[in-house]
């Protein structure tokens, strides 16, 4: 009987941390941290309808960021790498401006997170040297 009560207590604690009012206080996991496989539009230039061409979508500039967190440390023990800085993305890929950008996100239980931004826009010509 004691084992059953301990099992119910542990299951109830995990359930309360994963949902409910605990997420509003920042203690538990938000629903998006359970499993989030999202994609969408990150940015659209206001004048894209005037200058848009499909050739621009053939070669996106890509930037990525990763994060791994040790569970139950509330982010204190985490390791991340990568950079989603749009200015560095433009400089590295010789982009004059960003016309359109979309993103992909993967998050599993707040332990593993992955962000990917694909940016599209006109590029300066490659220098000869």
């Amino acid at each position: 009987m004691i084992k059953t009560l301990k099992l119910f207590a542990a299951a109830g604690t995990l359930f309360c941390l994963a949902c409910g009012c605990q997420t509003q206080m920042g203690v538990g996991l938000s629903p998006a941290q359970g499993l989030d496989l999202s994609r969408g539009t990150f940015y659209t230039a206001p004048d894209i309808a005037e200058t848009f061409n499909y050739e621009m979508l053939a070669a996106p500039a890509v930037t990525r960021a990763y994060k791994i967190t040790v569970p139950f440390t509330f982010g204190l023990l985490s390791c991340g790498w990568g950079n989603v800085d749009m200015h560095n993305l433009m400089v590295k890929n010789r982009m004059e401006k960003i016309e359109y950008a979309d993103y992909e996100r993967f998050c599993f239980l707040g332990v593993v997170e992955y962000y990917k931004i694909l940016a599209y826009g006109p590029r300066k010509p490659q220098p000869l040297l």
Side-chain angles (χ1 to χ4, degrees), residues 77-92:
L77 297 175
S78 62
C79 175
W81 62 96
N83 192 352
V84 289
D85 182 16
M86 297 304 283
H87 177 72
N88 288 341
L89 176 99
M90 290 177 68
V91 170
K92 188 171 96 174

Side-chain angles (χ1 to χ4, degrees), residues 42-60:
F42 185 72
Y43 171 77
T44 303
D47 60 345
I48 193 169
E50 300 170 7
T51 61
F52 184 79
N53 63 3
Y54 285 99
E55 293 175 7
M56 177 180 65
L57 298 177

Side-chain angles (χ1 to χ4, degrees), residues 10-95:
T13 302
L14 288 175
F15 178 76
C16 288
L17 284 175
C19 63
C21 62
Q22 298 296 320
T23 60
Q24 302 303 320
M25 297 188 314
V27 177
L29 294 172
S30 70
Q33 287 178 325
L35 178 62
D36 183 11
L37 298 167
S38 57
R39 304 176 81 153
T41 301
F42 185 72
Y43 171 77
T44 303
D47 60 345
I48 193 169
E50 300 170 7
T51 61
F52 184 79
N53 63 3
Y54 285 99
E55 293 175 7
M56 177 180 65
L57 298 177
V62 178
T63 183
R64 295 178 177 93
Y66 305 87
K67 181 181 173 187
I68 297 176
T69 304
V70 177
F72 306 110
T73 61
F74 304 105
L76 294 176
L77 297 175
S78 62
C79 175
W81 62 96
N83 192 352
V84 289
D85 182 16
M86 297 304 283
H87 177 72
N88 288 341
L89 176 99
M90 290 177 68
V91 170
K92 188 171 96 174
N93 292 286
R94 304 173 329 275
M95 296 182 83

